[in-house]
Amino acid sequence: MDPLLMVGAWATALIAIAGVLRIGWKAFVAAVEKVIEVSISRVWRDMDDIESRLDRLEITVGDLRRQVGKLQALLMAHVAEMTRRHD
């Protein structure tokens, strides 16, 4: 076989392999980018959900504090009334 023909065949094979590897690499990078994008999207969505839950919790805690304050005032008024009646 002609050595120049063999060099050309090997060069063609290497270029073809490099082309396939490049296509494979691009597909891999695109898949990784998609996975990262989906993961980041999920994290932001979860963070928004957590933030809305915390907002509702803060509102509930504020309501509970107001109710406890009212109950404390009623209890103090009751204790003062009972103390006054016994004096």
Side-chain angles (χ1 to χ4, degrees):
M1 202 151 238
D2 186 21
L4 190 56
L5 185 61
M6 288 300 293
V7 170
W10 278 104
T12 303
L14 290 175
I15 290 172
I17 291 171
V20 168
L21 288 176
R22 184 173 180 191
I23 291 170
W25 179 253
K26 282 186 175 182
F28 172 76
V29 169
V32 169
E33 285 176 348
K34 185 65 177 174
V35 167
I36 290 172
E37 181 181 328
V38 168
S39 296
I40 289 173
S41 173
R42 189 178 321 125
V43 167
W44 281 108
R45 190 172 45 249
D46 290 349
M47 285 177 53
D48 289 343
D49 182 48
I50 290 169
E51 187 175 335
S52 68
R53 289 181 182 190
L54 284 175
D55 290 343
R56 288 193 309 260
L57 182 61
E58 286 175 356
I59 291 169
T60 303
V61 168
D63 291 343
L64 287 173
R65 283 184 177 159
R66 282 190 288 281
Q67 290 177 0
V68 167
K70 287 178 183 178
L71 287 174
Q72 186 178 13
L74 288 171
L75 181 61
M76 295 304 272
H78 177 72
V79 169
E81 179 67 27
M82 289 296 139
T83 303
R84 201 171 359 155
R85 284 187 184 176
H86 289 298
D87 286 344

